[in-house]
Amino acid sequence: MKSEEVIDMKLYIEKDYEQMSKLAAKLIADKVHSKENCVLGLATGSTPIGTYKELIKQYQAGTLSFAKVKTVNLDEYYGLEPEHEQSYAYFMRDNLFNHIDLPQDAFRLPSGTAKNIEEECKDYEKHIEALGGVDLQLLGIGHNGHIGFNEPAASFALYTHQTYLDERTIEANTRFFASKDEVPTQAITMGIGTIMKAGEIILLASGKDKADIIQRLLEGDTVNPMLPASILKLHPHVHVIVDEAAASLLKSCCKSSTCHLH
Ligand code: F6R
């Protein structure tokens, strides 16, 4: 698939992180407003923090309620209790859930400490199915092209599973821990199949350090499990929202009708 054919991946190039976050929050709020009992798939990491801040602002302004929303998260570190400050459960409470009216029983992340991880993975899939599937999934992207913790591999993993983190992921995530040795080496993650079942997907990328992977994703010509996010080219409803820094290596951005640079 050539970049010109990446038509279903609607590309938005926003001026900066703030504008990227505002647009992502707007699309999420639109979904919450338009779909009663909507199911959101959420991500952690640095990238979505601004989006969550915008959603909190809208809740505080009284223009958005999460009272009927359900959420599921992409992933969790293996071995970290939800109370651990670096767990993704803690991150979500700290950056979103504690600041909005999402009911206490309306969110779920994979458990990184379940006694039987295999059962937990199966149950996570069943849980998503019982909710009626994810209406809108938010994604960040790793420097190596991972989505969730689906690292580059020989094939695409279908379902929620336990996985080892790539060396580059461990290095990138060291910034959240006291040292590299403390970064968990494994995680539980939705599979590529789980992600692809979402009705709509928003992929966010910000900053110069994401420019190379965004260029490879949008201008590369294959769907390849060595660049896991490339599977999104086969999804019918994907918004790729990047800031100018993350778009800085793109050559054909003007082919997108929503490109703001030209
Ligand atoms: C987080 C996740 C990861 C991150 C990715 C980018 O739940 O699934 O795929 O989205 O590692 O992380 P940041 O945003 O920190 O650059």
Side-chain angles (χ1 to χ4, degrees):
M1 192 182 285
K2 293 268 180 279
S3 57
E4 305 91 84
E5 291 164 14
V6 182
I7 40 174
D8 289 333
M9 292 177 71
K10 200 165 179 185
L11 174 66
Y12 307 74
I13 301 174
E14 297 297 312
K15 190 171 173 5
D16 53 24
Y17 179 78
E18 200 187 334
Q19 295 306 316
M20 177 200 78
S21 303
K22 281 198 166 131
L23 178 56
K26 183 191 175 306
L27 294 180
I28 294 170
D30 286 351
K31 180 60 82 181
V32 173
H33 287 136
S34 67
K35 172 114 203 298
E36 213 185 342
N37 305 317
C38 135
V39 179
L40 298 177
L42 300 176
T44 60
S46 304
T47 315
I49 290 176
T51 304
Y52 296 152
K53 284 200 172 119
E54 290 296 329
L55 292 174
I56 293 167
K57 269 194 218 159
Q58 293 187 33
Y59 163 70
Q60 287 170 343
T63 55
L64 182 63
S65 168
F66 294 86
K68 292 187 175 167
V69 170
K70 299 262 190 290
T71 74
V72 285
N73 262 76
L74 281 168
D75 41 22
E76 178 59 282
Y77 285 121
Y78 175 66
L80 295 195
E81 296 287 352
E83 294 73 31
H84 191 290
E85 278 193 24
Q86 298 309 333
S87 74
Y88 285 168
Y90 187 100
F91 173 102
M92 289 309 302
R93 290 195 303 276
D94 200 31
N95 287 289
L96 186 63
F97 300 156
N98 287 350
H99 312 285
I100 57 174
D101 61 344
L102 184 75
Q104 272 302 314
D105 59 354
F107 62 88
R108 182 163 170 186
L109 292 90
S111 164
T113 52
K115 278 213 175 82
N116 185 334
I117 293 288
E118 215 171 296
E119 277 305 312
E120 168 64 11
C121 293
K122 279 189 197 148
D123 197 55
Y124 203 68
E125 290 286 331
K126 278 193 204 144
H127 174 72
I128 295 173
E129 221 172 282
L131 291 175
V134 172
D135 294 303
L136 178 61
Q137 176 67 55
L138 186 61
L139 297 175
I141 184 168
H143 298 106
N144 60 5
H146 74 208
I147 46 176
F149 278 131
N150 292 278
E151 304 285 23
S155 60
F156 291 113
L158 286 182
Y159 305 111
T160 302
H161 60 285
Q162 182 171 2
T163 186
Y164 280 93
L165 303 187
D166 202 82
E167 188 56 28
R168 270 191 94 178
T169 303
I170 293 175
E171 260 160 39
N173 291 2
T174 299
R175 68 191 194 279
F176 300 113
F177 291 81
S179 73
K180 190 175 161 186
D181 294 343
E182 288 184 25
V183 185
T185 54
Q186 295 182 58
I188 320 298
T189 181
M190 281 185 191
I192 290 290
T194 328
I195 293 170
M196 289 293 279
K197 274 194 267 175
E200 196 171 339
I201 295 176
I202 298 174
L203 180 128
L204 298 178
S206 164
K208 241 192 146 103
D209 62 312
K210 294 287 170 74
D212 177 61
I213 192 64
I214 286 299
Q215 193 269 334
R216 284 172 53 211
L217 172 67
L218 296 181
E219 297 184 343
D221 58 0
T222 53
V223 171
N224 183 342
M226 289 308 290
L227 199 168
S230 64
I231 193 83
L232 298 175
K233 292 173 185 177
L234 303 180
H235 192 285
H237 204 171
V238 179
H239 310 268
V240 177
I241 312 178
V242 300
D243 60 14
E244 286 183 6
S248 57
L249 294 178
L250 289 178
K251 294 169 201 81
S252 2
C253 62
C254 32
K255 297 209 165 74
S256 157
S257 57
T258 47
C259 173
H260 296 174
L261 281 182
H262 304 284

